[in-house]
């Protein structure tokens, strides 16, 4: 009897810790959302207007596929922006005589989820249009510049979330392979939005079952608890890199809960008889781990809860509701 009371006291202490921790996680989530949304709002608004103006003045939009998006085309775009900048620099204020225009067409280029525009001041602008489940999500911008056609490009400004490694990508790719840099940033953004929207969707669909949900800012570490069952189930997801949309590290553990005095007596007797202390040992749910490795989070969650009650009954028959 004393052992059961001790277990109940431990549960009360854990519940108090959980409540405080949940409050911290809620505040963290609110701060993360505010930082992601508001930190570069003025830059976003300015660049968005500039991109809209560039697209409004275009005479042609080319949709590129496969090998059409290549180094030669990017070199042509760079040549366009530099020659236009030089032409404007040579124009004398008040002189109505027009200098020859090297390129008559104003072209924007669409490659997958990217729109590439020629901006004033020898700049190249890339707009990334992210989506989830066929629905458009967020727009992001990256502006590249170089002092001359022969010099390497650098990132002048962007609206990419600060926690995504754009500077590392710039150092690794931009000077040697600009197309790879542009594509890699697009992959980073799309994967981030995909992971974020997966978490948003399970909160929206299954929020009454989920407690203590935590995630890192880029959503490459996600943890939550499934509480609406006879046992508590903890889920931990780790992604190998920031362009992954399926986790490589998955942990799903089921912890037996003490539903009543009768079930507590059974648990204590069962554990004592097996040489285990008063703290139950969790069990891995391998079918759930497999689902999370092979499906998107909302689909995997639905698969997990469909079979969860039976799986818990098989693992912890002494804690199952009668």
């Amino acid at each position: 009897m004393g052992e059961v009371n001790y277990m109940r006291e431990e549960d009360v202490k854990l519940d108090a810790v959980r409540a405080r921790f949940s409050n911290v996680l809620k505040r963290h989530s609110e701060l993360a959302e505010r930082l992601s949304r508001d930190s570069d709002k003025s830059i976003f608004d300015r660049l968005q207007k500039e991109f809209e103006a560039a697209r409004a003045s275009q005479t042609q939009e080319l949709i590129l596929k496969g090998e059409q998006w290549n180094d030669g085309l990017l070199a042509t775009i760079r040549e366009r922006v530099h020659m236009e900048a030089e032409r404007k620099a040579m124009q004398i204020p008040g002189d109505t005589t027009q200098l020859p225009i090297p390129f008559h067409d104003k072209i924007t280029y669409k490659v997958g989820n990217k729109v590439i525009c020629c901006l004033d001041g020898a700049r190249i602008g890339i707009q990334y249009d992210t989506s989830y489940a066929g629905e458009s999500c967020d727009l992001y911008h990256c502006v590249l510049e170089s002092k001359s056609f022969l010099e390497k490009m650098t990132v002048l400004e962007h609206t990419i979330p600060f926690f995504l490694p754009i500077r590392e990508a710039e150092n690794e790719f931009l000077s040697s392979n600009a197309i790879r840099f542009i594509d890699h940033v697009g992959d980073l953004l799309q994967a981030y939005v995909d992971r974020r929207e997966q978490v948003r969707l399970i909160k929206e669909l299954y929020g009454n079952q989920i407690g203590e949900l935590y995630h890192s800012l880029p959503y490459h570490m996600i943890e939550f608890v499934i509480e609406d069952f006879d046992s508590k189930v903890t889920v931990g997801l780790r992604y190998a890199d920031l362009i992954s949309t399926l986790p490589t590290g998955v942990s799903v553990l089921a912890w037996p809960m003490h539903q009543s005095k009768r079930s507590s007596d059974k648990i204590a007797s069962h554990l004592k008889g097996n040489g285990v202390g008063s703290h139950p040992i969790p069990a891995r749910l391998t079918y759930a781990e497999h689902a999370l490795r092979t499906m998107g989070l909302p689909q995997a969650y639905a698969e997990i809860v469909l079979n969860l009650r039976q799986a818990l009954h098989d693992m912890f028959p002494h804690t199952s509701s009668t």
Side-chain angles (χ1 to χ4, degrees):
M1 183 68 179
E3 186 173 12
V4 173
N5 289 333
Y6 171 76
M7 293 166 68
R8 287 176 177 167
E9 290 174 3
E10 287 293 296
D11 285 346
V12 170
K13 292 178 182 178
L14 285 173
D15 287 340
V17 171
R18 271 188 221 107
R20 289 196 294 269
F21 187 55
S22 295
N23 187 48
V24 171
L25 293 180
K26 182 180 179 182
R27 292 170 61 189
H28 171 272
S29 178
E30 292 171 351
L31 176 61
E33 182 180 356
R34 191 160 61 248
L35 284 171
S36 302
R37 183 187 64 234
D38 297 340
S39 60
D40 295 320
K41 190 174 188 306
S42 61
I43 298 175
F44 176 89
D45 290 342
R46 175 171 52 79
L47 287 180
Q48 183 61 23
K49 289 178 181 177
E50 191 169 0
F51 273 77
E52 288 174 355
R55 298 192 72 177
S57 65
Q58 73 183 23
T59 58
Q60 187 178 6
E61 180 176 271
L62 295 181
I63 299 176
L64 308 176
K65 297 181 180 179
E67 295 182 357
Q68 292 178 320
W69 171 232
N70 54 50
D71 292 330
L73 177 65
L74 186 58
T76 299
I77 297 172
R78 292 188 65 188
E79 185 180 9
R80 279 177 176 271
V81 297
H82 278 284
M83 293 186 72
E84 178 63 14
E86 290 172 2
R87 185 186 72 83
K88 288 186 176 181
M90 293 171 62
Q91 189 76 48
I92 300 173
D95 187 355
T96 57
T97 304
Q98 292 294 319
L99 294 174
I101 301 176
F103 296 100
H104 295 280
D105 294 333
K106 291 188 175 181
I107 303 175
T108 59
Y109 305 85
K110 188 170 178 59
V111 189
N113 70 333
K114 301 177 287 290
V115 176
I116 299 157
C117 299
C118 300
L119 303 177
D120 291 339
R123 296 173 302 147
I124 297 174
I126 305 101
Q127 178 176 283
Y128 297 93
D129 184 2
T130 61
S131 63
Y132 179 72
E135 298 292 330
S136 293
C137 293
D138 303 328
L139 292 176
Y140 299 97
H141 310 90
C142 182
V143 178
L144 307 178
E145 72 162 0
S146 60
K147 300 302 182 184
S148 74
F149 178 70
L150 298 177
E151 293 187 35
K152 71 175 185 178
M153 289 188 291
T154 58
V155 175
L156 176 63
E157 57 184 346
H158 63 84
T159 60
I160 295 164
F162 69 91
F163 44 78
L164 295 181
I166 184 170
R167 291 303 173 189
E168 290 85 342
E170 178 183 4
N171 294 334
E172 184 174 357
F173 301 125
L174 188 53
S175 61
S176 59
N177 192 333
I179 281 187
R180 187 174 180 186
F181 166 80
I182 294 170
D183 290 345
H184 180 72
V185 171
D187 292 340
L188 281 174
L189 289 167
Q190 183 55 56
Y192 156 66
V193 169
D194 198 293
R195 294 189 301 268
R196 184 194 70 191
E197 291 301 297
Q198 289 184 49
V199 171
R200 181 195 62 77
L201 193 55
I202 66 164
K203 288 169 64 178
E204 180 180 305
L205 296 176
Y206 309 107
N208 62 318
Q209 297 176 342
I210 295 174
E212 302 172 24
L213 190 148
Y214 162 80
H215 60 81
S216 59
L217 289 176
Y219 290 82
H220 70 315
M221 294 187 294
I222 302 168
E223 295 182 358
F224 60 90
V225 176
I226 305 174
E227 295 183 325
D228 194 29
F229 291 88
D230 292 337
S231 297
K232 175 182 287 188
V233 177
T234 60
V235 179
L237 307 177
R238 299 291 183 273
Y239 295 77
D241 52 56
L242 294 179
I243 60 173
S244 298
T245 56
L246 290 176
T248 51
V250 179
S251 171
V252 184
L253 299 175
W255 302 75
M257 301 288 285
H258 316 313
Q259 298 294 325
S260 63
K261 180 180 182 303
R262 181 180 177 184
S263 63
S264 296
D265 291 340
K266 286 183 178 181
I267 294 169
S269 175
H270 176 71
L271 295 172
K272 187 174 181 180
N274 285 278
V276 182
S278 60
H279 297 284
I281 297 175
R284 285 182 59 194
L285 293 172
T286 54
Y287 87 94
E289 292 178 351
H290 175 73
L292 288 162
R293 285 193 184 95
T294 56
M295 305 179 190
L297 185 53
Q299 295 86 353
Y301 188 96
E303 179 74 15
I304 291 168
V305 296
L306 181 65
N307 301 292
L308 186 54
R309 200 170 299 280
Q310 184 60 48
L312 294 175
H313 178 272
D314 294 341
M315 288 180 171
F316 308 119
H318 295 287
T319 66
S320 299
S321 299
T322 57

